[in-house]
Amino acid sequence: MPANYRTLLDRTKTEIREVDVLEAKEMLDRGAIAIDVREQDEVDQGIIPGAIHITRGYLEQRIEDAARDKTAPVLLYCAGGVRSVFAAKTLRDLGYADPISVAGGFGAWKSAGLPWRMPRSLTPEQRRRYSRHLLIPEVGEAGQHKLLEAKVLLIGAGGLGSPAALYLAAAGVGTIGVIDADTVDDSNLQRQVVHTTDRVGMSKVESARLTINAINPDVNVIGHETRLTKENALEIFSGYDIILDGTDNFATRYLINDACVLLGKPNVHGSIFRFEGQATTFVAHQGPCYRCLFPEPPPPELAPSCAEAGVLGLLPGTVGLIQATEVAKLILGIGEPLIGRMIMYDALGMEFRELRLRRDPQCPMCGPDAPTSLDEIEYTDVACMIPAFAMAH
Ligand SMILES: [Zn+2]
């Protein structure tokens, strides 16, 4: 017998699991994902905190980005619990093991007195400030919210961290952490543009905070006036979504890599040497990590100090902005990140080349015998800034 709407609904209900709103709340509290499949005008009236909004019409296309683990339970809700039944059936067809419809939907949730919130919207000032973002469909209001909610850690407020700080702040990245133990020196000012002449002697973290908030008071700057060590790296990194490596020494570079691999955080990497720079994005297990390329630091005699190496003051501006662009793309989920690719920039020839990078299946950090903590790893400082390709050749 051909199904009509009623029989289709009844039959579909027998095929999927339903829970009431109280059970749904408990599952959410235990970390289950909730997908709101209502239309935008419905969501504008209120949403369950933590829920991801994907309208029913885009569910098939977008669910795999929102809920990557198909073995985990996924709660679906609509206004009254009907559309979510069909949405759950769709997820079942897509291979999800445990799609669950919330009976009664958002209406029942509100009636039960459970927490809900109005969706975030930009203030009139933010609409003006970010208007050029709002005009781009790939960014838009949803993207600007992603930027405002993102937490990015800059390792070093130096040559690479400076341009990244300026532009990430201007773009509206809502939380920028800065870790640096140094004070501003007058020899920094040739390239470290987040600092100013009148701040020589001030801590770099404080100087960066002043500049970032002068550009954009929306940004919450978290200062870490300390050296990054294996004792504090995991704890500091765990408060951030993305790590930008603007460091100038190998010990820290390996430490950043290892901590990011352990925590599964993207590590946006840059380095500079005289007239040449390079940038890539390491995302553990999606591409190589730094140790896949260079399992061990070079011997000290092959790694010149910063003072010996020198750098064209303009070079870190280009490289730091490639890194900042990568960070913004990762936050927005758009474009092709530099995973498995390294951009090599030659300022004198004004050439960009691209190097394909491969994972090392036996990598000491992301391979099968990788350590599960930093405890046993030695990080010895062997100075700075020689780029990886100079080491490799
Ligand atoms: Zn690796």
Side-chain angles (χ1 to χ4, degrees), residues 369-386:
D369 302 321
T372 54
S373 82
L374 301 175
D375 297 345
E376 304 298 316
I377 309 174
E378 285 292 323
Y379 297 97
T380 41
D381 206 342
V382 280
C384 80
M385 282 203 204
I386 184 166

Side-chain angles (χ1 to χ4, degrees), residues 289 292 363 366:
C289 78
C292 287
C363 171
C366 72

Side-chain angles (χ1 to χ4, degrees), residues 64-374:
E64 285 168 337
D65 287 329
R68 292 179 184 275
D69 181 2
K70 292 193 173 182
T71 63
V74 179
L75 293 159
L76 297 127
Y77 72 90
C78 56
V82 172
R83 280 172 287 172
S84 57
V85 167
F86 294 112
K89 173 72 162 56
T90 297
L91 260 60
R92 167 67 51 77
D93 293 343
L94 283 169
Y96 283 84
D98 194 14
I100 303 157
S101 171
V102 180
F106 187 66
W109 180 277
K110 258 174 103 170
S111 301
L114 294 170
W116 59 279
R117 64 171 178 84
M118 293 300 287
R120 289 259 308 268
S121 65
L122 298 174
T123 64
E125 295 76 30
Q126 288 175 323
R127 286 188 182 284
R128 285 196 299 277
R129 177 181 284 271
Y130 305 118
S131 63
R132 300 306 188 274
H133 273 165
L134 305 186
L135 289 167
I136 311 175
E138 290 83 353
V139 183
E141 188 157 340
Q144 191 61 53
H145 280 302
K146 287 184 189 172
L147 291 167
L148 286 165
E149 284 160 15
K151 299 183 173 76
V152 177
L153 177 63
L154 308 180
I155 317 259
L160 297 170
S162 284
L166 300 183
Y167 275 87
L168 291 174
V173 169
T175 301
I176 297 179
V178 182
I179 176 163
D180 202 310
D182 288 341
T183 54
V184 179
D185 184 88
D186 53 10
S187 70
N188 300 149
L189 300 171
Q190 165 251 24
R191 64 201 175 283
Q192 300 182 12
V193 293
V194 81
H195 311 300
T196 54
T197 307
D198 60 337
R199 297 189 202 144
V200 169
M202 183 188 286
S203 92
K204 285 190 173 180
V205 162
E206 187 53 28
S207 170
R209 184 202 308 278
L210 290 172
T211 302
I212 289 170
N213 281 144
I215 293 170
N216 189 348
D218 274 351
V219 181
N220 173 32
V221 181
I222 300 176
H224 305 273
E225 284 189 36
T226 180
R227 287 185 68 79
L228 191 69
T229 66
K230 68 179 182 181
E231 285 74 28
N232 65 19
L234 293 176
E235 191 185 332
I236 293 174
F237 285 17
S238 63
Y240 296 91
D241 308 315
I242 300 173
I243 313 300
L244 186 147
D245 179 357
T247 193
D248 60 359
N249 71 81
F250 282 103
T252 311
R253 196 170 287 164
Y254 281 99
L255 174 56
I256 293 166
N257 177 75
D258 298 351
C260 284
V261 171
L262 284 178
L263 294 170
K265 308 240 179 206
N267 168 15
V268 180
H269 169 92
S271 68
I272 47 177
F273 178 72
R274 294 186 178 164
F275 300 100
E276 294 173 328
Q278 56 188 27
T280 185
T281 296
F282 297 119
V283 179
H285 309 298
Q286 291 183 34
C289 78
Y290 189 68
R291 282 192 196 269
C292 287
L293 312 180
F294 307 105
E296 297 293 336
E301 62 273 19
L302 288 182
S305 77
C306 298
E308 287 168 39
V311 61
L312 181 71
L314 300 88
L315 181 75
T318 304
V319 177
L321 282 188
I322 291 173
Q323 292 177 271
T325 307
E326 283 290 288
V327 167
K329 282 161 52 189
L330 289 172
I331 294 169
L332 294 167
I334 59 174
E336 288 298 320
L338 280 175
I339 298 171
R341 297 184 291 146
M342 186 173 276
I343 291 293
M344 325 271 270
Y345 167 53
D346 168 13
L348 289 182
M350 198 45 81
E351 281 182 323
F352 288 88
R353 288 186 298 130
E354 185 180 307
L355 204 67
R356 291 272 157 184
L357 308 175
R358 264 196 290 270
R359 275 190 79 184
D360 174 2
Q362 297 308 316
C363 171
M365 198 60 215
C366 72
D369 302 321
T372 54
S373 82
L374 301 175

